[in-house]
Amino acid sequence: MSLSERPASGGLALGVSIAVGLVLSAGILSYALDRVAGDKQSITVKGLAEKTVQADHARWAVVVRGQARTLPDAFADLRANQPKLLAFFKEQGFKDTQLSSGRQTYQVVYKRNEKEQQTAEVEGYVTEQTVLLSSNDVKSVEKAAGQIVMLQESGLPVSVSDPEFLVSKLEEVKMSLIASATRNARDRATEFAKTGDATVGAMKSATQGSFYILPAQGGGSDDDYGGAYDKSTIDKLARVVVTVQYGIKQ
């Protein structure tokens, strides 16, 4: 080969190399763009998990009253009635350490005229004290709540609220349900993706919905734990819902 032919051959080789490089670069760029586009595809699903739980702690407030024409006599009446209420709790098997008494309070009762309008004349006083029972024996509290009507029938002036049945380890219950609900969300995402001949990729985001403690037999109660928190029953159903976004690949 002559010297005059070599530059032409080298130029041709260089041109071919550049062309091949451009083709490869275009292929790599196309693949990268496809991956970026693929990563932007996603699916958002909700996951649900439930489990039965039992209350392991109970609180029960009972108000005992006294009444008389004078304030000292009204407080004396209250102090005579309060031991009867405490005796009832002890008969039900509860100990002094499970009982606490609030402060004694009073209200003035004014006379009413013939039109049932309140006057400035004092008719008497009503005194009150709240006794709070706190116990882990939820079954005994439930039983006592059904028995206190006999105390009312005997004439003891008490006002009774419903016991509150609580779950002490709510955070542990919630965390276990979040894990189960997240697995449920991925299962749902997988089923959805199958219909489009896609596969589920990495989790992109996740949010927890409300946490529910419901009566095992249905119904609901106070909304004070980011959802419903039933306090009226011993047997409950815990439920959590999560919303999860996954990337999908074709």
Side-chain angles (χ1 to χ4, degrees):
M1 181 178 297
S2 66
L3 292 175
S4 61
E5 293 175 330
R6 287 180 182 175
S9 176
L12 178 61
L14 178 61
V16 171
S17 297
I18 292 173
V20 171
L22 290 174
V23 170
L24 291 174
S25 297
I28 293 171
L29 179 60
S30 174
Y31 175 69
L33 289 174
D34 285 342
R35 289 201 61 181
V36 170
D39 288 343
K40 288 183 178 179
Q41 297 181 48
S42 62
I43 186 171
T44 301
V45 294
K46 292 186 181 295
L48 170 68
E50 296 179 335
K51 69 186 298 185
T52 56
V53 294
Q54 268 200 335
D56 56 4
H57 185 73
R59 295 186 311 206
W60 188 27
V62 180
V63 179
V64 60
R65 296 191 304 274
Q67 186 172 354
R69 293 184 62 84
T70 67
L71 185 58
D73 287 343
F75 274 119
D77 190 40
L78 172 63
R79 290 163 188 152
N81 290 333
Q82 196 244 25
K84 299 175 185 177
L85 176 58
L86 297 179
F88 165 79
F89 283 124
K90 292 178 181 178
E91 289 171 2
Q92 298 298 313
F94 300 109
K95 301 177 181 178
D96 289 336
T97 54
Q98 297 173 298
L99 301 168
S100 59
S101 298
R103 66 187 185 91
Q104 297 176 347
T105 61
Y106 74 92
Q107 296 178 2
V108 182
V109 180
Y110 294 95
K111 287 185 177 181
R112 294 183 176 274
N113 59 25
E114 62 278 1
K115 296 182 180 180
E116 288 300 315
Q117 297 171 328
Q118 182 176 292
T119 68
E121 186 178 357
V122 175
E123 183 176 14
Y125 298 86
V126 173
T127 49
E128 294 183 341
Q129 186 173 32
T130 299
V131 176
L132 178 65
L133 169 66
S134 181
S135 173
N136 293 331
D137 189 349
V138 294
K139 292 293 186 180
S140 291
V141 175
E142 184 180 46
K143 179 182 176 183
Q147 296 292 323
I148 200 169
V149 65
M150 296 186 298
L151 200 61
Q152 295 171 307
E153 289 176 350
S154 71
L156 189 69
V158 292
S159 297
V160 183
S161 61
D162 293 330
E164 293 183 341
F165 298 106
L166 311 172
V167 179
S168 62
K169 297 181 179 180
L170 282 176
E171 196 62 25
E172 291 183 14
V173 173
K174 181 170 71 171
M175 293 307 294
S176 67
L177 286 175
I178 288 175
S180 298
T182 303
R183 288 191 293 270
N184 179 255
R186 188 170 186 88
D187 290 341
R188 292 187 181 195
T190 300
E191 290 302 315
F192 279 121
K194 284 179 180 178
T195 63
D197 295 325
T199 58
V200 178
M203 180 190 297
K204 290 189 170 185
S205 66
T207 56
Q208 180 204 319
S210 296
F211 178 46
Y212 300 92
I213 299 291
L214 306 170
Q217 303 303 319
S221 186
D222 297 338
D223 185 9
D224 62 1
Y225 201 83
Y229 187 4
D230 166 67
K231 300 175 183 177
S232 64
T233 62
I234 295 176
D235 297 313
K236 306 176 189 292
L237 179 70
R239 175 187 298 161
V240 72
V241 178
V242 297
T243 302
V244 187
Q245 184 184 46
Y246 294 99
I248 57 173
K249 302 175 183 178
Q250 295 296 133

